[in-house]
Amino acid sequence: MARAAFGRDDAIEEVACPRNFLLSTSRTAIYTGRRGRDEERVVLTHFIGGQPVGAGKAFPVHDPVTGAVIRQVHEADPEVVDRAVRAAREAARDWAAMPVGERAGWMRRLAEGIEARFDDLVAAEIADTGKPLDQTRTLDIPRGIANFRAFADIAAQRPEDAFHLSGVLSYTVRRPLGVVAVIVPWNLPFLLMTWKLAPALVSGNTVVVKPSEQTPGSAAVFAEICAESGLPPGVVNIIFGYGSAGQLLVEHPGVDAVTFTGSTVTGRTIMRSVADRVKPISFELGGKNAGLVFEDCHLDKAVEGTVKSVFTNGGQVCLCTERVYVHRSIFEDFCARLAVRAQEVELQPMISAEHREKVLSYYALARSEGAKMLAGGSVPVFGDHRDSGYFVEPTVVTGLSEWSRFNREEIFGPVCHVTPFDSEAEAVDLANGSEYGLAATVWTTNLDRAHRVAQRLEAGLVWVNTWYLRDLRTPFGGVKLSGIGREGGTRSLDFYSEPTTITIKLEQPDA
């Protein structure tokens, strides 16, 4: 397996498709746009019932760094979706009957399998997303390992509820939902897939996974890991395709629940699709996250923290900050520092040409609405093969009304708007003045203020003097248009299982 390198001034030097028995036997030479050579490429297939399934027409996946086609993937049609759901249903009874400790053991085997294929997963993730090598090696793939191990431990050690009254014993047992549809986005494809798979599987469910059409590579490698580990056939099934395949999956009568991370628009569509059958849903949707910077903050740390929360992964993280509110006394200094740092961050491509155009359309919208561009606002020029990729400049904007479209709509790119405030109450009102409520950051050295403000913010997650610091046992999710439900720790296990309360009247012995 070729390794991939990505540095500040380097595109991905070399990425080959991971070795994969899920690849169809038909091969095609696709010009990669890298080093001017043709490389033999293969077609990713679905993984159903423990076997590769090469059905459906092929569609291309593009390298965000260069715009070149890097792989072909089979697209699931109704027959493929039905086959995957039936395979999951056939495996469901035996998997659910397995003791939780044994299922936890399987989670640990999968974690070991990820470790054994670490470099393959890194290469696949970089090829599909254009992420830097360091981020992929230290965050995306390690978090996949941690997800399986953490939920194995949580499930194996979870106590049961029992309640005693005079002559009565009530206790609760939990049973899996059945077949869960797992719809995964493109921004953190492996991390978010494993974040859903681990608790769903350890709770006794079987799954059908539909990754984003733009990032299928790491899911294909994971399918191999499932097969290599000896996981029972049908427990994990993976199908590829566009939104139409996901729609077929969530509407399938054999699917018992849906977990989805992605846009609010798609979440609405899924919600309508499952309403008639009242299927359980867990949604982590969009965000227009706020960052509050108070006058008593440690300014250097607040600037650097905001750089991370705005520009990480090219702003393509649901938790990224798009609205920054800064106390007026430090507003000019903060803006000047942030603008300088925006021009220094490592550029990362948008996931697709379409998404790049969306982000650029918001840069144009900001100008039309009267914004002042403090940094960025255009397309970088490299003078090499990256000019055919999907890059935009990290951008800092100010001067717009809170009611502007730019400040109301999720952009999902490396951009933020900075607004001054004069009081704590005003800052809280500004932060809460959004239809979204996923995450927020607070920068202050005042302990009382930190607690007071954090508790008043309408968000599912609030970070104080940090960002993206996660304990996997804590609840994760948003309010308002940012989602429904919580995952993480026992809350994930709660979603992926149904409680049954059993009450027994205890006969009293004769006196």
Side-chain angles (χ1 to χ4, degrees):
M1 179 65 213
R3 290 176 179 263
F6 188 93
R8 180 178 296 275
D9 298 316
D10 300 286
I12 299 172
E13 292 179 350
E14 190 174 0
V15 176
C17 283
R19 70 182 188 274
N20 201 326
F21 75 82
L22 301 175
L23 306 173
S24 71
T25 55
S26 62
R27 294 175 178 263
T28 179
I30 300 172
Y31 180 67
T32 65
R34 300 173 186 162
R35 299 181 179 176
R37 69 172 182 257
D38 289 338
E39 292 187 9
E40 190 177 47
R41 297 296 175 185
V42 286
V43 185
L44 294 182
T45 70
H46 316 292
F47 179 67
I48 299 174
Q51 298 294 325
V53 175
K57 63 182 181 180
F59 64 89
V61 175
H62 296 263
D63 174 10
V65 174
T66 68
V69 175
I70 56 169
R71 64 173 104 248
Q72 298 281 335
V73 186
H74 282 289
E75 181 181 1
D77 56 21
E79 182 179 349
V80 167
V81 173
D82 182 65
R83 182 172 173 179
V85 175
R86 283 190 288 108
R89 294 213 73 83
E90 289 170 7
R93 178 174 295 182
D94 289 344
W95 183 252
M98 188 181 293
V100 65
E102 192 172 340
R103 291 197 299 265
W106 278 110
M107 300 304 101
R108 296 186 183 99
R109 288 190 193 96
L110 290 174
E112 292 168 0
I114 295 170
E115 288 180 325
R117 299 291 298 275
F118 192 91
D119 287 347
D120 291 351
L121 285 162
V122 167
E125 198 85 338
I126 289 175
D128 283 350
T129 65
K131 292 179 182 180
L133 177 63
D134 181 65
Q135 177 184 323
T136 311
R137 292 188 65 87
T138 60
L139 172 65
D140 298 77
I141 310 306
R143 258 295 298 275
I145 297 168
N147 285 337
F148 279 109
R149 288 187 171 144
F151 283 108
D153 292 342
I154 292 168
Q157 299 171 14
R158 187 182 192 189
E160 300 286 355
D161 292 329
F163 304 91
H164 295 265
L165 292 174
S166 178
V168 178
L169 170 65
S170 295
Y171 64 96
T172 302
V173 296
R174 304 195 71 93
R175 56 181 176 79
L177 300 174
V179 175
V180 178
V182 179
I183 314 294
V184 184
W186 47 258
N187 59 329
L188 298 166
F190 189 72
L191 187 160
L192 290 173
M193 179 180 69
T194 57
W195 171 245
K196 297 174 182 297
L197 282 187
L201 293 174
V202 80
S203 297
N205 303 281
T206 56
V207 299
V208 180
V209 183
K210 208 294 283 184
S212 168
E213 66 275 11
Q214 293 156 330
T215 53
S218 57
V221 178
F222 182 72
E224 278 196 353
I225 292 169
C226 292
E228 291 164 356
S229 70
L231 188 72
V235 171
V236 171
N237 306 275
I238 299 174
I239 61 172
F240 300 110
Y242 294 95
S244 56
Q247 189 72 13
L248 288 169
L249 178 60
V250 301
E251 291 177 347
H252 196 289
V255 167
D256 299 297
V258 178
T259 177
F260 168 74
T261 296
S263 72
T264 300
V265 172
T266 303
R268 288 192 184 107
T269 301
I270 294 174
M271 199 168 183
R272 285 191 290 266
S273 299
V274 303
D276 287 346
R277 303 185 75 89
V278 199
K279 296 179 183 179
I281 54 174
S282 177
F283 285 170
E284 194 262 287
L285 305 177
K288 191 72 176 176
N289 304 314
L292 276 59
V293 184
F294 289 93
E295 70 277 16
D296 55 23
C297 72
H298 188 299
L299 189 56
D300 290 340
K301 293 181 180 179
V303 171
E304 288 307 306
T306 303
V307 167
K308 291 180 181 178
S309 73
V310 173
F311 302 120
T312 292
N313 203 45
Q316 298 169 115
V317 179
C318 56
L319 302 169
C320 277
T321 305
E322 291 194 9
R323 298 177 295 135
V324 183
Y325 301 102
V326 183
H327 192 271
R328 196 175 300 275
S329 64
I330 60 171
F331 179 77
E332 296 296 334
D333 193 5
F334 181 91
C335 287
R337 295 190 190 203
L338 185 63
V340 170
R341 290 291 290 114
Q343 298 171 67
E344 297 172 345
V345 300
E346 182 177 346
L347 298 181
Q348 292 183 235
M350 301 296 94
I351 192 63
S352 65
E354 292 78 14
H355 190 58
R356 180 186 61 176
E357 292 309 308
K358 173 192 171 183
V359 174
L360 289 174
S361 74
Y362 277 97
Y363 290 2
L365 175 65
R367 291 188 178 92
S368 70
E369 291 182 324
K372 179 181 179 181
M373 293 285 185
L374 301 180
S378 188
V379 176
V381 176
F382 300 99
D384 57 32
H385 53 277
R386 289 173 291 175
D387 289 337
S388 298
Y390 309 140
F391 293 89
V392 299
E393 290 179 340
T395 298
V396 180
V397 175
T398 191
L400 292 178
S401 160
E402 288 302 295
W403 297 103
S404 65
R405 279 185 54 207
F406 189 90
N407 272 330
R408 306 295 296 180
E409 300 173 7
E410 183 182 36
I411 302 171
F412 218 61
V415 60
C416 68
H417 182 276
V418 192
T419 301
F421 67 83
D422 294 299
S423 68
E424 181 180 303
E426 181 188 9
V428 171
D429 286 345
L430 289 168
N432 289 342
S434 171
E435 293 182 301
Y436 296 96
L438 182 56
T441 56
V442 177
W443 300 92
T444 178
T445 57
N446 184 313
L447 182 61
D448 289 338
R449 169 176 280 162
H451 285 289
R452 186 170 59 242
V453 170
Q455 294 177 37
R456 293 178 60 197
L457 293 177
E458 297 170 359
L461 304 97
V462 179
W463 283 285
V464 178
N465 297 329
T466 188
W467 177 76
Y468 209 70
L469 189 60
R470 289 276 292 121
D471 184 323
L472 301 186
R473 297 168 297 182
T474 59
F476 181 94
V479 301
K480 298 188 274 191
L481 291 184
S482 289
I484 296 174
R486 293 292 185 274
E487 296 186 27
T490 58
R491 291 159 185 85
S492 286
L493 303 183
D494 286 344
F495 171 72
Y496 291 110
S497 61
E498 290 279 13
T500 296
T501 299
I502 300 169
T503 301
I504 299 176
K505 187 175 185 301
L506 302 177
E507 294 297 334
Q508 300 301 314
D510 294 334

